[in-house]
Amino acid sequence: MSLLMLDADSFQSGIREKQVTLVEFGAKWCPPCKVLLPHLEAMSTEEGERARLAQVDCDESPQLAAEFGIMSLPTVIIFHNGEPVEKLVGLRPKSVYQTALGRYIQ
């Protein structure tokens, strides 16, 4: 399962209102983002329907990056019931993302 690509037009519909969504804010040119993507794709397969994993290209959607205060790449924001609840800045081990996501999965 691959990550859902979101932009300004699809962002609100891409965030699950009643569940958990993890969104990676990154860019194609960003080396740490390239390292993170395979881990998030694996997590997407592991989580199945329990959580949605998505990404936003900050170069293509600068308004979303500004709206969520993205200052460093990659930044991962976890949304629960449509609201941002956790922000992880910089590249972290996969287990950190799994633990953070696990706090909100029912």
Side-chain angles (χ1 to χ4, degrees), residues 4-24:
L4 177 66
M5 286 298 299
L6 300 176
D7 59 21
D9 295 328
S10 63
F11 192 81
Q12 285 304 328
S13 64
I15 300 298
R16 290 187 171 177
E17 294 292 333
K18 301 290 184 197
Q19 292 185 349
V20 179
T21 305
L22 179 151
V23 180
E24 183 259 345

PDB file of all heavy atoms in Angstrom, residues 4-24:
ATOM      1  N   LEU A   4      -0.922   8.107   0.465  1.00  0.00           N
ATOM      2  CA  LEU A   4      -1.858   8.972  -0.231  1.00  0.00           C
ATOM      3  C   LEU A   4      -1.214  10.341  -0.399  1.00  0.00           C
ATOM      4  O   LEU A   4      -0.715  10.914   0.567  1.00  0.00           O
ATOM      5  CB  LEU A   4      -3.145   9.087   0.589  1.00  0.00           C
ATOM      6  CG  LEU A   4      -4.233  10.006   0.069  1.00  0.00           C
ATOM      7  CD1 LEU A   4      -4.793   9.457  -1.230  1.00  0.00           C
ATOM      8  CD2 LEU A   4      -5.336  10.127   1.113  1.00  0.00           C
ATOM      9  N   MET A   5      -1.174  10.853  -1.630  1.00  0.00           N
ATOM     10  CA  MET A   5      -0.633  12.196  -1.873  1.00  0.00           C
ATOM     11  C   MET A   5      -1.732  13.220  -1.649  1.00  0.00           C
ATOM     12  O   MET A   5      -2.818  13.096  -2.220  1.00  0.00           O
ATOM     13  CB  MET A   5      -0.106  12.307  -3.311  1.00  0.00           C
ATOM     14  CG  MET A   5       1.198  11.592  -3.552  1.00  0.00           C
ATOM     15  SD  MET A   5       2.581  12.202  -2.572  1.00  0.00           S
ATOM     16  CE  MET A   5       2.701  13.888  -3.092  1.00  0.00           C
ATOM     17  N   LEU A   6      -1.444  14.216  -0.823  1.00  0.00           N
ATOM     18  CA  LEU A   6      -2.418  15.269  -0.528  1.00  0.00           C
ATOM     19  C   LEU A   6      -1.884  16.611  -0.999  1.00  0.00           C
ATOM     20  O   LEU A   6      -0.680  16.861  -0.976  1.00  0.00           O
ATOM     21  CB  LEU A   6      -2.699  15.329   0.973  1.00  0.00           C
ATOM     22  CG  LEU A   6      -3.272  14.069   1.623  1.00  0.00           C
ATOM     23  CD1 LEU A   6      -3.396  14.264   3.124  1.00  0.00           C
ATOM     24  CD2 LEU A   6      -4.617  13.722   1.014  1.00  0.00           C
ATOM     25  N   ASP A   7      -2.806  17.484  -1.391  1.00  0.00           N
ATOM     26  CA  ASP A   7      -2.471  18.867  -1.715  1.00  0.00           C
ATOM     27  C   ASP A   7      -3.546  19.756  -1.097  1.00  0.00           C
ATOM     28  O   ASP A   7      -4.405  19.275  -0.353  1.00  0.00           O
ATOM     29  CB  ASP A   7      -2.335  19.074  -3.227  1.00  0.00           C
ATOM     30  CG  ASP A   7      -3.602  18.734  -3.996  1.00  0.00           C
ATOM     31  OD1 ASP A   7      -4.707  18.724  -3.401  1.00  0.00           O
ATOM     32  OD2 ASP A   7      -3.504  18.489  -5.217  1.00  0.00           O
ATOM     33  N   ALA A   8      -3.499  21.030  -1.393  1.00  0.00           N
ATOM     34  CA  ALA A   8      -4.442  21.969  -0.778  1.00  0.00           C
ATOM     35  C   ALA A   8      -5.891  21.599  -1.074  1.00  0.00           C
ATOM     36  O   ALA A   8      -6.774  21.761  -0.225  1.00  0.00           O
ATOM     37  CB  ALA A   8      -4.153  23.388  -1.244  1.00  0.00           C
ATOM     38  N   ASP A   9      -6.145  21.067  -2.273  1.00  0.00           N
ATOM     39  CA  ASP A   9      -7.514  20.721  -2.650  1.00  0.00           C
ATOM     40  C   ASP A   9      -8.005  19.441  -1.986  1.00  0.00           C
ATOM     41  O   ASP A   9      -9.197  19.303  -1.711  1.00  0.00           O
ATOM     42  CB  ASP A   9      -7.632  20.580  -4.169  1.00  0.00           C
ATOM     43  CG  ASP A   9      -7.381  21.894  -4.888  1.00  0.00           C
ATOM     44  OD1 ASP A   9      -7.710  22.962  -4.316  1.00  0.00           O
ATOM     45  OD2 ASP A   9      -6.848  21.859  -6.011  1.00  0.00           O
ATOM     46  N   SER A  10      -7.119  18.502  -1.747  1.00  0.00           N
ATOM     47  CA  SER A  10      -7.539  17.203  -1.217  1.00  0.00           C
ATOM     48  C   SER A  10      -7.241  17.005   0.262  1.00  0.00           C
ATOM     49  O   SER A  10      -7.600  15.979   0.831  1.00  0.00           O
ATOM     50  CB  SER A  10      -6.856  16.084  -2.010  1.00  0.00           C
ATOM     51  OG  SER A  10      -5.448  16.148  -1.846  1.00  0.00           O
ATOM     52  N   PHE A  11      -6.621  17.996   0.897  1.00  0.00           N
ATOM     53  CA  PHE A  11      -6.158  17.793   2.269  1.00  0.00           C
ATOM     54  C   PHE A  11      -7.302  17.493   3.238  1.00  0.00           C
ATOM     55  O   PHE A  11      -7.245  16.515   3.977  1.00  0.00           O
ATOM     56  CB  PHE A  11      -5.354  19.010   2.761  1.00  0.00           C
ATOM     57  CG  PHE A  11      -4.631  18.732   4.050  1.00  0.00           C
ATOM     58  CD1 PHE A  11      -3.428  18.067   4.040  1.00  0.00           C
ATOM     59  CD2 PHE A  11      -5.164  19.126   5.261  1.00  0.00           C
ATOM     60  CE1 PHE A  11      -2.758  17.782   5.212  1.00  0.00           C
ATOM     61  CE2 PHE A  11      -4.509  18.856   6.443  1.00  0.00           C
ATOM     62  CZ  PHE A  11      -3.297  18.183   6.422  1.00  0.00           C
ATOM     63  N   GLN A  12      -8.315  18.328   3.261  1.00  0.00           N
ATOM     64  CA  GLN A  12      -9.403  18.115   4.228  1.00  0.00           C
ATOM     65  C   GLN A  12     -10.101  16.784   4.021  1.00  0.00           C
ATOM     66  O   GLN A  12     -10.427  16.096   4.986  1.00  0.00           O
ATOM     67  CB  GLN A  12     -10.407  19.268   4.190  1.00  0.00           C
ATOM     68  CG  GLN A  12      -9.911  20.534   4.857  1.00  0.00           C
ATOM     69  CD  GLN A  12      -9.498  20.316   6.306  1.00  0.00           C
ATOM     70  OE1 GLN A  12     -10.045  19.492   7.025  1.00  0.00           O
ATOM     71  NE2 GLN A  12      -8.506  21.070   6.751  1.00  0.00           N
ATOM     72  N   SER A  13     -10.336  16.397   2.789  1.00  0.00           N
ATOM     73  CA  SER A  13     -10.989  15.115   2.539  1.00  0.00           C
ATOM     74  C   SER A  13     -10.035  13.952   2.808  1.00  0.00           C
ATOM     75  O   SER A  13     -10.480  12.840   3.083  1.00  0.00           O
ATOM     76  CB  SER A  13     -11.533  15.045   1.109  1.00  0.00           C
ATOM     77  OG  SER A  13     -10.477  15.110   0.174  1.00  0.00           O
ATOM     78  N   GLY A  14      -8.743  14.206   2.748  1.00  0.00           N
ATOM     79  CA  GLY A  14      -7.754  13.159   2.990  1.00  0.00           C
ATOM     80  C   GLY A  14      -7.523  12.864   4.448  1.00  0.00           C
ATOM     81  O   GLY A  14      -7.046  11.789   4.810  1.00  0.00           O
ATOM     82  N   ILE A  15      -7.847  13.815   5.305  1.00  0.00           N
ATOM     83  CA  ILE A  15      -7.707  13.622   6.740  1.00  0.00           C
ATOM     84  C   ILE A  15      -8.969  12.941   7.238  1.00  0.00           C
ATOM     85  O   ILE A  15     -10.066  13.456   7.075  1.00  0.00           O
ATOM     86  CB  ILE A  15      -7.523  14.980   7.471  1.00  0.00           C
ATOM     87  CG1 ILE A  15      -6.286  15.694   6.957  1.00  0.00           C
ATOM     88  CG2 ILE A  15      -7.437  14.783   8.973  1.00  0.00           C
ATOM     89  CD1 ILE A  15      -4.990  14.968   7.193  1.00  0.00           C
ATOM     90  N   ARG A  16      -8.796  11.813   7.854  1.00  0.00           N
ATOM     91  CA  ARG A  16      -9.957  11.077   8.345  1.00  0.00           C
ATOM     92  C   ARG A  16     -10.548  11.780   9.568  1.00  0.00           C
ATOM     93  O   ARG A  16      -9.892  11.928  10.595  1.00  0.00           O
ATOM     94  CB  ARG A  16      -9.569   9.652   8.721  1.00  0.00           C
ATOM     95  CG  ARG A  16      -9.238   8.813   7.520  1.00  0.00           C
ATOM     96  CD  ARG A  16      -9.039   7.396   7.946  1.00  0.00           C
ATOM     97  NE  ARG A  16      -8.919   6.553   6.755  1.00  0.00           N
ATOM     98  CZ  ARG A  16      -8.672   5.268   6.809  1.00  0.00           C
ATOM     99  NH1 ARG A  16      -8.512   4.669   7.947  1.00  0.00           N
ATOM    100  NH2 ARG A  16      -8.581   4.574   5.690  1.00  0.00           N
ATOM    101  N   GLU A  17     -11.790  12.172   9.453  1.00  0.00           N
ATOM    102  CA  GLU A  17     -12.461  12.899  10.534  1.00  0.00           C
ATOM    103  C   GLU A  17     -12.664  12.048  11.780  1.00  0.00           C
ATOM    104  O   GLU A  17     -12.626  12.540  12.885  1.00  0.00           O
ATOM    105  CB  GLU A  17     -13.811  13.438  10.052  1.00  0.00           C
ATOM    106  CG  GLU A  17     -13.692  14.504   8.983  1.00  0.00           C
ATOM    107  CD  GLU A  17     -13.082  15.795   9.492  1.00  0.00           C
ATOM    108  OE1 GLU A  17     -13.204  16.106  10.685  1.00  0.00           O
ATOM    109  OE2 GLU A  17     -12.462  16.493   8.675  1.00  0.00           O
ATOM    110  N   LYS A  18     -12.927  10.766  11.600  1.00  0.00           N
ATOM    111  CA  LYS A  18     -13.256   9.917  12.738  1.00  0.00           C
ATOM    112  C   LYS A  18     -12.140   8.950  13.107  1.00  0.00           C
ATOM    113  O   LYS A  18     -12.333   8.083  13.934  1.00  0.00           O
ATOM    114  CB  LYS A  18     -14.532   9.102  12.448  1.00  0.00           C
ATOM    115  CG  LYS A  18     -15.732   9.941  12.156  1.00  0.00           C
ATOM    116  CD  LYS A  18     -16.189  10.659  13.401  1.00  0.00           C
ATOM    117  CE  LYS A  18     -17.470  11.423  13.103  1.00  0.00           C
ATOM    118  NZ  LYS A  18     -17.767  12.422  14.057  1.00  0.00           N
ATOM    119  N   GLN A  19     -10.985   9.076  12.459  1.00  0.00           N
ATOM    120  CA  GLN A  19      -9.900   8.146  12.743  1.00  0.00           C
ATOM    121  C   GLN A  19      -8.571   8.876  12.818  1.00  0.00           C
ATOM    122  O   GLN A  19      -8.527  10.067  13.088  1.00  0.00           O
ATOM    123  CB  GLN A  19      -9.869   7.047  11.682  1.00  0.00           C
ATOM    124  CG  GLN A  19     -11.071   6.132  11.768  1.00  0.00           C
ATOM    125  CD  GLN A  19     -10.963   4.979  10.788  1.00  0.00           C
ATOM    126  OE1 GLN A  19     -10.106   4.955   9.923  1.00  0.00           O
ATOM    127  NE2 GLN A  19     -11.841   4.008  10.939  1.00  0.00           N
ATOM    128  N   VAL A  20      -7.517   8.137  12.548  1.00  0.00           N
ATOM    129  CA  VAL A  20      -6.154   8.648  12.680  1.00  0.00           C
ATOM    130  C   VAL A  20      -5.501   8.738  11.302  1.00  0.00           C
ATOM    131  O   VAL A  20      -5.602   7.824  10.499  1.00  0.00           O
ATOM    132  CB  VAL A  20      -5.327   7.709  13.589  1.00  0.00           C
ATOM    133  CG1 VAL A  20      -3.908   8.201  13.716  1.00  0.00           C
ATOM    134  CG2 VAL A  20      -5.982   7.572  14.949  1.00  0.00           C
ATOM    135  N   THR A  21      -4.829   9.866  11.063  1.00  0.00           N
ATOM    136  CA  THR A  21      -4.080  10.059   9.828  1.00  0.00           C
ATOM    137  C   THR A  21      -2.696  10.586  10.179  1.00  0.00           C
ATOM    138  O   THR A  21      -2.567  11.529  10.959  1.00  0.00           O
ATOM    139  CB  THR A  21      -4.777  11.066   8.894  1.00  0.00           C
ATOM    140  OG1 THR A  21      -6.113  10.637   8.668  1.00  0.00           O
ATOM    141  CG2 THR A  21      -4.057  11.178   7.563  1.00  0.00           C
ATOM    142  N   LEU A  22      -1.675   9.970   9.611  1.00  0.00           N
ATOM    143  CA  LEU A  22      -0.302  10.439   9.756  1.00  0.00           C
ATOM    144  C   LEU A  22       0.071  11.086   8.427  1.00  0.00           C
ATOM    145  O   LEU A  22      -0.088  10.466   7.381  1.00  0.00           O
ATOM    146  CB  LEU A  22       0.618   9.254  10.070  1.00  0.00           C
ATOM    147  CG  LEU A  22       2.109   9.555  10.238  1.00  0.00           C
ATOM    148  CD1 LEU A  22       2.737   8.551  11.201  1.00  0.00           C
ATOM    149  CD2 LEU A  22       2.858   9.543   8.922  1.00  0.00           C
ATOM    150  N   VAL A  23       0.532  12.337   8.499  1.00  0.00           N
ATOM    151  CA  VAL A  23       0.902  13.065   7.285  1.00  0.00           C
ATOM    152  C   VAL A  23       2.371  13.459   7.361  1.00  0.00           C
ATOM    153  O   VAL A  23       2.800  14.106   8.313  1.00  0.00           O
ATOM    154  CB  VAL A  23       0.032  14.331   7.085  1.00  0.00           C
ATOM    155  CG1 VAL A  23       0.439  15.058   5.815  1.00  0.00           C
ATOM    156  CG2 VAL A  23      -1.450  13.976   7.047  1.00  0.00           C
ATOM    157  N   GLU A  24       3.117  13.045   6.330  1.00  0.00           N
ATOM    158  CA  GLU A  24       4.523  13.419   6.222  1.00  0.00           C
ATOM    159  C   GLU A  24       4.617  14.632   5.298  1.00  0.00           C
ATOM    160  O   GLU A  24       4.152  14.608   4.168  1.00  0.00           O
ATOM    161  CB  GLU A  24       5.338  12.255   5.638  1.00  0.00           C
ATOM    162  CG  GLU A  24       6.827  12.540   5.549  1.00  0.00           C
ATOM    163  CD  GLU A  24       7.306  12.929   4.158  1.00  0.00           C
ATOM    164  OE1 GLU A  24       6.587  12.724   3.169  1.00  0.00           O
ATOM    165  OE2 GLU A  24       8.413  13.462   4.072  1.00  0.00           O
TER     166      GLU A  24
END
